[in-house]
Amino acid sequence: MSKPVKQIHLAAHFPGVNNSTVWSDPAAGSQIDFSSFVHLARTAERAKFDFLFLAEGLRLREQNGEIYDLDVVGRPDTFTVLTALAAVTDKLGLAGTINSTFNEPYEVARQFATLDHLSAGRAAWNVVTSWDEFTGQNFRRGGFLAQEDRYLRARQFLAATWELFDSWRGDEITADQDTGVFLTDPAPGRFDHHVDQFDISGHFNVPRSPQGRPVIFQAGDSEEGREFAASGADAIFTRHGTLEDGQAFYADVKRRLARYGRAPDELKILPGVTFVLGDTDADAREKADVIRHQQVSGPTAIKLLEQLWNRDLSAYDPDGPLPDVDPLVGENTVARGRASVRMHRDPTATAARWRALAEEKHLSIRELIIAVTGRQSFIGTPATVADALDHFVQSDASDGFILTPHLTPGGLDDFADTVVPLLQEKGVFRTEYEGDTLREHLGLGAARAVRDDRAGAADRKAAS
Amino acid sequence: MPSAPSPLHLAVALDAAGWHPAAWREPGARPRELFTARYWTDLVTEAERGLLDFVTIEDSLSLQSSSFAGPDGRTDQVRGRLDALLVAARVAPLTRHIGLIPTAVVTHTEPFHVSKAVATLDFVSTGRAGVQVKVSGRADEAPHFGRRPAIRFRPDELDSPAGLAALKELFDEAGDYVEVLRRLWDSWEDDAEIRDAATGRFIDRDKLHYIDFTGERFSVKGPSITPRPPQGQPVVTALAHREEPFRLVAASADVGFVTPQDTADTRAILARIRAAQATAGRADETVHVFGDLVVLLDDEPGAAADRRARLEERAGAPYTSDARVFAGTPAELADLLLEGQEAGLTGFRLRPAVLPHDLERITRGLVPELQRRGAFRTAYEAATLRGLLGLPRPANRYAAL
């Protein structure tokens, strides 16, 4: 018996601070002006995408003690942009990355519940963690969190916000003008949450929102991240380079769900990917090569290499070989405030791997960085790309994709006009939205009651 | 010939179904829609139709209550509210001229987050954002955050030494907060984004600045993650009833809202604010002082008073407010406003007792009346909120001359 054909989920990532946006292209617009967000959101909605996604960063990155100036820098506030986008779209989900370290559950729950009300059920939260004092210098609380507590706080933060989201049952407000009864509960929204990271109680002041809770996303490929996602997320945002890696990750994470009493389709796996379209496959490959060289200039290659080496490498030629010296191990002092720094968990081993790769393929520094920093990219004619995307999903390497265009804000236009219709012809992507809420787009059930909440269960498990 | 009076500025304060606790029961009220985007869009577009300078949107980090300590157990009044800044963001793309000023509670929030959120509201509204800063002394809000001890005074103890000290602490912190907001808005120079393909630099890092703020309660490093917004600095406002908040208005705000009960009171309040403004070294800067009034407006003489009586009967108590409550016709209200202007107020923030009724009587009754008297604009004359208020775009404190 053949497997049923899976439906693909698609999302658009508005690229924020990164070196993937080719800002020097004449077609590149503002990454701040609201009109850019409107353009990408309307394109995504025209193409019937599930949602638009925003990343976050709460401190400008620094390298060698200076603000990093080679990439797109500067981004607006996530909640404000997403809520404004709710005014210019009708169905598109609105997903924001919000840090669980330098925020408080009461405020974040209010903001997501408000976004969900004002978008009529389209809010999603990508829960991320942070602990570093560098970012903390922008906040009242400072760098107060020990690194080993970051996932503990994230889990407890999520559990606390769930309690807040569920503190209104949804039937309190009757607003009966004749009898004068506005609400049936004289003190709605009760909550009481006392754990290591939070000692909070009182009354939540936003009535239950259309989705009950926003859709929960989690990013991160670490062991803790996978377990956290399996315990409580609705979707996971990953980056896996190949079909095989994707399949392994997919199988691993879906397997973990059973521990929390969840079915495999309760968690969607969505890698962040790029694409390049051309009239022929060869043409697309050529364009992709040009784009990669625009993304990784010589100076950018040196800066990215410094982040692993943790040393000043400005004297090196980007078109020359890798440094003979080894990375400095220990506290990272060269680059601060970027996620990739923390991804280099074992710099010595990574450097050895990179050296071997460079020797084997005769790569310069720049070519090596181009090779090791690329994410999964679908390159070819619209037909080639549509086939590849479909193959990836039907092979259980993912449930769909979060697409990051390399041009802001028009980088999704061609994809919407050429690839999406081919996916629709294959019957693997919707031609109309079937529901109104993001939970419906993603095929997720209604939010469960919090009393048997999964994050709470995960905490108890972790504590035992 | 007497010179024409400077134009009056007019704003409305939006809160739930209106400022009267029984407003939601009035005909025309939309109590089941208070948590929908359409309700707020309709209200703000109506205010824009009346050419008003701005709307403010109330907020709090607890349930509405007549008790200072927690919920008051009432089921006959509106309870629950949406985040005001996001309500403003939701409305911004659907309006074009009117200023949008949400309330932010500064006692329990992070100035870094609020700074970028208000800057972003300025981007999404292309230059129409402001913020009303509000301190929280409510006993039930601190435990919602669990970060600081509950407040040490009660409202009836505000004039005791302990009350005054606590008040000073809250407002000193609010002053620091506004300083951080403004520094963060200035932390990017306007032309920091250079996109210099020749050197590969997207920004000129010399035009980004650490704000290095250190205060009693918090410190913030900066720079912002969000570039300088269209207005340079969005408009900062605060409501003030006594000396400490007067000092905040004078030292930190662009617009203060005050609640005089008569002309003599108006003059006394203005004298105190102007003196504090001079002490703060801002004598040369424009600080607008708006009078706050709760309004019940009807075209027929006596109708507003009748409506007030009906509302009070429904509520089971006479309605009192920190602000003067006006019930009358648009012409009578116009007289009162011009009298207040004569006493030195530069504008008024009207609090409609019932929405949308009293808002519509403002936009369709009061505004035409003031226009007939040559006292109010007949078209929007500026593209930004600062422009409407006659406030200059601030120079960036960090920019080299």
Side-chain angles (χ1 to χ4, degrees):
Chain A
M1 197 178 104
S2 66
K3 269 180 68 174
V5 175
K6 284 164 72 182
Q7 289 292 305
I8 299 177
H9 296 283
L10 290 177
H13 175 198
F14 187 98
V17 174
N18 58 66
N19 73 309
S20 57
T21 302
V22 180
W23 52 260
S24 57
D25 191 292
S30 171
Q31 90 288 6
I32 290 292
D33 288 348
F34 186 56
S35 57
S36 290
F37 290 88
V38 173
H39 183 108
L40 187 68
R42 285 191 169 150
T43 305
E45 185 163 86
R46 169 163 65 84
K48 317 298 177 196
F49 274 36
D50 292 61
F51 60 91
L52 178 129
F53 174 83
L54 297 182
E56 194 194 39
L58 294 172
R59 174 101 192 247
L60 296 188
R61 299 169 299 158
E62 289 181 5
Q63 192 152 332
N64 296 318
E66 293 180 317
I67 289 171
Y68 194 90
D69 62 0
L70 299 177
D71 294 352
V72 167
V73 178
R75 62 172 108 220
D77 177 67
T78 297
F79 282 118
T80 313
V81 165
L82 291 180
T83 311
L85 286 174
V88 296
T89 54
D90 289 320
K91 303 279 189 178
L92 187 69
L94 301 162
T97 303
I98 294 293
N99 180 296
S100 61
T101 307
F102 300 110
N103 283 288
E104 298 303 323
Y106 195 91
E107 199 180 3
V108 166
R110 282 198 86 216
Q111 290 166 313
F112 273 116
T114 298
L115 174 61
D116 206 45
H117 277 289
L118 294 178
S119 65
R122 299 189 274 142
W125 175 17
N126 180 37
V127 187
V128 296
T129 63
S130 170
W131 56 272
D132 59 299
E133 192 178 353
F134 176 71
T135 305
Q137 285 175 354
N138 279 335
F139 296 95
R140 287 176 185 257
R141 297 195 74 154
F144 66 96
L145 190 64
Q147 182 172 2
E148 56 271 25
D149 286 340
R150 55 196 286 220
Y151 280 101
L152 176 71
R153 183 172 165 101
R155 278 198 307 274
Q156 293 188 348
F157 194 108
L158 195 56
T161 49
W162 279 4
E163 186 170 333
L164 291 166
F165 290 135
D166 286 357
S167 65
W168 289 65
R169 299 178 308 272
D171 59 358
E172 289 88 349
I173 295 179
T174 56
D176 186 328
Q177 289 181 302
D178 295 330
T179 62
V181 175
F182 184 81
L183 74 176
T184 53
D185 185 339
R190 277 177 211 80
F191 69 96
D192 222 324
H193 208 82
H194 307 282
V195 290
D196 302 6
Q197 293 286 326
F198 302 103
D199 181 17
I200 57 176
S201 61
H203 296 268
F204 190 49
N205 70 351
V206 184
R208 192 167 179 83
S209 71
Q211 292 188 112
R213 289 176 221 150
V215 171
I216 303 294
F217 291 13
Q218 208 268 323
D221 292 345
S222 66
E223 174 64 25
E224 305 98 293
R226 291 178 189 211
E227 203 61 24
F228 178 43
S231 72
D234 298 307
I236 185 163
F237 177 25
T238 88
R239 50 187 303 166
H240 279 282
T242 63
L243 186 75
E244 294 70 28
D245 283 355
Q247 285 172 322
F249 178 79
Y250 189 96
D252 176 67
V253 173
K254 296 264 178 174
R255 194 165 47 231
R256 292 171 193 248
L257 289 166
R259 280 182 226 181
Y260 301 95
R262 306 179 66 196
D265 63 356
E266 287 183 58
L267 178 67
K268 306 299 177 190
I269 295 178
L270 306 172
V273 303
T274 62
F275 61 91
V276 179
L277 301 174
D279 294 334
T280 65
D281 288 348
D283 170 47
R285 278 194 298 273
E286 203 170 303
K287 271 169 73 179
D289 191 55
V290 171
I291 290 164
R292 289 297 288 146
H293 282 81
Q294 288 173 314
Q295 292 168 328
V296 184
S297 66
T300 292
I302 295 294
K303 290 290 186 189
L304 292 178
L305 197 69
E306 283 180 344
Q307 289 167 12
L308 175 64
W309 250 257
N310 196 19
R311 290 173 183 273
D312 179 359
L313 302 177
S314 54
Y316 286 82
D317 176 2
D319 296 320
L322 264 62
D324 295 332
V325 295
D326 284 327
L328 277 179
V329 179
E331 191 187 346
N332 196 301
T333 54
V334 165
R336 300 195 290 181
R338 65 186 300 155
S340 58
V341 174
R342 296 191 291 271
M343 285 166 52
H344 299 317
R345 293 192 171 206
D346 184 350
T348 310
T350 305
R353 206 167 60 241
W354 286 9
R355 274 210 192 94
L357 181 67
E359 274 166 35
E360 182 198 331
K361 298 198 170 174
H362 307 290
L363 302 178
S364 67
I365 289 175
R366 187 177 179 194
E367 297 299 335
L368 174 89
I369 292 293
I370 286 172
V372 298
T373 60
R375 58 171 60 181
Q376 176 68 42
S377 192
F378 293 89
I379 298 164
T381 64
T384 301
V385 168
D387 287 347
L389 293 171
D390 187 34
H391 179 64
F392 213 85
V393 170
Q394 305 309 336
S395 311
D396 284 346
S398 80
D399 295 310
F401 306 93
I402 299 180
L403 301 169
T404 306
H406 68 273
L407 283 181
T408 302
L412 196 64
D413 297 2
D414 287 350
F415 188 96
D417 293 332
T418 62
V419 181
V420 167
L422 294 173
L423 294 173
Q424 290 168 332
E425 276 173 31
K426 287 173 184 284
V428 295
F429 191 65
R430 67 173 68 87
T431 53
E432 290 299 334
Y433 289 103
E434 293 112 34
D436 296 318
T437 68
L438 179 54
R439 280 191 181 280
E440 289 171 313
H441 303 340
L442 288 170
L444 299 166
R448 286 191 195 182
V450 79
R451 302 305 162 196
D452 63 336
D453 78 76
R454 302 160 203 150
D459 265 351
R460 285 189 292 278
K461 189 180 168 67
S464 64
Chain B
M1 195 177 117
S3 62
S6 16
L8 197 62
H9 295 287
L10 266 192
V12 284
L14 300 179
D15 187 15
W19 287 73
H20 195 285
W24 68 272
R25 297 186 63 185
E26 284 291 289
R30 297 158 63 181
R32 290 170 178 277
E33 297 176 48
L34 301 180
F35 305 97
T36 66
R38 180 182 294 273
Y39 177 73
W40 292 96
T41 304
D42 286 351
L43 293 178
V44 180
T45 42
E46 178 63 30
E48 185 170 70
R49 205 171 291 138
L51 308 177
L52 303 192
D53 290 74
F54 59 85
V55 297
T56 61
I57 302 166
E58 294 304 304
D59 207 354
S60 64
L61 296 173
S62 58
L63 279 173
Q64 301 93 323
S65 174
S66 54
S67 158
F68 195 66
D72 56 9
R74 296 193 74 135
T75 57
D76 64 334
Q77 297 179 358
V78 172
R79 295 291 181 262
R81 55 164 101 241
L82 300 178
D83 182 278
L85 192 132
L86 299 184
V87 170
R90 180 63 176 76
V91 169
L94 304 175
T95 54
R96 290 188 55 197
H97 302 284
I98 194 162
L100 301 166
I101 304 190
T103 295
V105 176
V106 300
T107 307
H108 300 296
T109 59
E110 291 282 357
F112 192 85
H113 288 314
V114 169
S115 168
K116 67 184 161 62
V118 176
T120 302
L121 181 62
D122 209 40
F123 278 107
V124 303
S125 66
T126 55
R128 297 182 285 127
V131 60
Q132 178 179 339
V133 296
K134 175 181 168 185
V135 305
S136 164
R138 291 190 61 90
D140 59 347
E141 286 190 9
H144 290 168
F145 290 81
R147 304 208 301 197
R148 60 199 297 167
I151 205 72
R152 296 187 300 276
F153 65 87
R154 302 206 320 259
D156 56 357
E157 292 175 347
L158 279 181
D159 291 317
S160 71
L164 290 171
L167 208 57
K168 181 172 188 309
E169 190 184 330
L170 280 175
F171 278 93
D172 282 350
E173 183 184 16
D176 284 355
Y177 197 108
V178 175
E179 175 69 12
V180 168
L181 295 181
R182 291 187 187 277
R183 285 195 201 180
L184 287 169
W185 291 329
D186 279 354
S187 65
W188 289 57
E189 294 184 34
D190 290 314
D191 53 355
E193 184 183 315
I194 52 171
R195 297 195 185 218
D196 183 17
T199 59
R201 293 176 307 147
F202 183 79
I203 47 154
D204 178 353
R205 66 164 73 96
D206 293 336
K207 295 186 174 188
L208 299 182
H209 303 276
Y210 296 101
I211 70 164
D212 285 320
F213 179 86
T214 303
E216 290 285 312
R217 277 201 165 269
F218 56 85
S219 60
V220 176
K221 179 75 181 172
S224 181
I225 59 166
T226 307
R228 197 164 195 245
Q231 292 184 100
Q233 296 179 15
V235 172
V236 176
T237 73
L239 172 64
H241 298 108
R242 49 173 63 232
E243 200 57 34
E244 287 294 344
F246 288 157
R247 207 163 51 80
L248 177 70
V249 165
S252 303
D254 300 299
V255 181
F257 306 118
V258 298
T259 54
Q261 299 301 312
D262 55 36
T263 301
D265 200 14
T266 300
R267 292 187 199 281
I269 289 170
L270 279 162
R272 289 164 77 184
I273 290 179
R274 297 303 174 207
Q277 196 182 331
T279 305
R282 296 182 76 207
D284 296 340
E285 292 177 39
T286 301
V287 176
H288 283 293
V289 180
F290 279 33
D292 263 21
L293 283 173
V294 179
V295 297
L296 296 101
L297 272 185
D298 284 294
D299 297 336
E300 290 297 310
D306 291 348
R307 201 152 52 84
R308 181 178 187 172
R310 182 170 80 214
L311 283 160
E312 293 190 342
E313 192 185 336
R314 279 259 164 90
Y319 178 60
T320 58
S321 167
D322 56 324
R324 188 170 168 180
V325 181
F326 172 89
T329 65
E332 289 165 348
L333 180 57
D335 291 341
L336 186 69
L337 301 189
L338 294 176
E339 200 181 302
Q341 187 185 27
E342 189 69 33
L345 295 172
T346 48
F348 286 89
R349 182 174 70 156
L350 305 177
R351 306 183 191 173
V354 174
L355 290 169
H357 179 94
D358 290 308
L359 172 62
E360 288 173 359
R361 292 334 304 147
I362 290 166
T363 53
R364 301 173 193 196
L366 174 68
V367 164
E369 177 66 30
L370 288 169
Q371 287 169 334
R372 272 193 290 278
R373 302 185 192 193
F376 193 65
R377 68 170 65 86
T378 53
Y380 279 111
E381 71 277 13
T384 67
L385 177 55
R386 281 187 170 271
L388 292 177
L389 293 171
L391 297 168
R393 189 175 189 276
N396 190 320
R397 77 195 62 201
Y398 300 110
L401 292 175

